[in-house]
Amino acid sequence: MGAVAEAIRGKLEAAFSPSRLELADDSDRHHGHAGHSGAGESHFTLRIEAEAFAGKARVMRQRMVMKVLADELAGPVHALSIVATAPGEA
């Protein structure tokens, strides 16, 4: 796992204390697409489960994650697919 992924993981763990956190670097699948520099760590898929998302709408959950990762999204991360759930949700 690279430096960007480690930073993302660290920030999410600190902000949400997730019971589940899966982060996949999908950069290789975006070769030739906008935002793909060839260096990697530009496109990610995130699955996160945390109590902080309980009772929140899907869009609010995504905004919560994006706020925590604002620096990464303004810089090296071009795309982030987010699935954020509360414990017990499918």
Side-chain angles (χ1 to χ4, degrees), residues 17-38:
S17 299
S19 52
R20 175 181 174 194
L21 194 155
E22 298 173 12
L23 183 64
D25 184 350
D26 297 329
S27 301
D28 288 342
R29 294 184 357 186
H30 296 275
H31 180 73
H33 295 176
H36 185 271
S37 68

Side-chain angles (χ1 to χ4, degrees), residues 9-11 14 23 68 75 85 88:
R9 182 175 290 280
K11 286 183 175 186
L23 183 64
V68 169
T85 58

Side-chain angles (χ1 to χ4, degrees), residues 8 10 13-14 18 22 25-26 29-30 35 40 42-43 46 49 54 67 70-71 73 84-85 89:
I8 290 171
E13 287 174 349
E22 298 173 12
D25 184 350
D26 297 329
R29 294 184 357 186
H30 296 275
S42 60
H43 295 69
L46 170 67
E49 178 182 282
K67 182 176 181 181
D71 290 340
L73 292 169
T85 58
E89 294 179 349

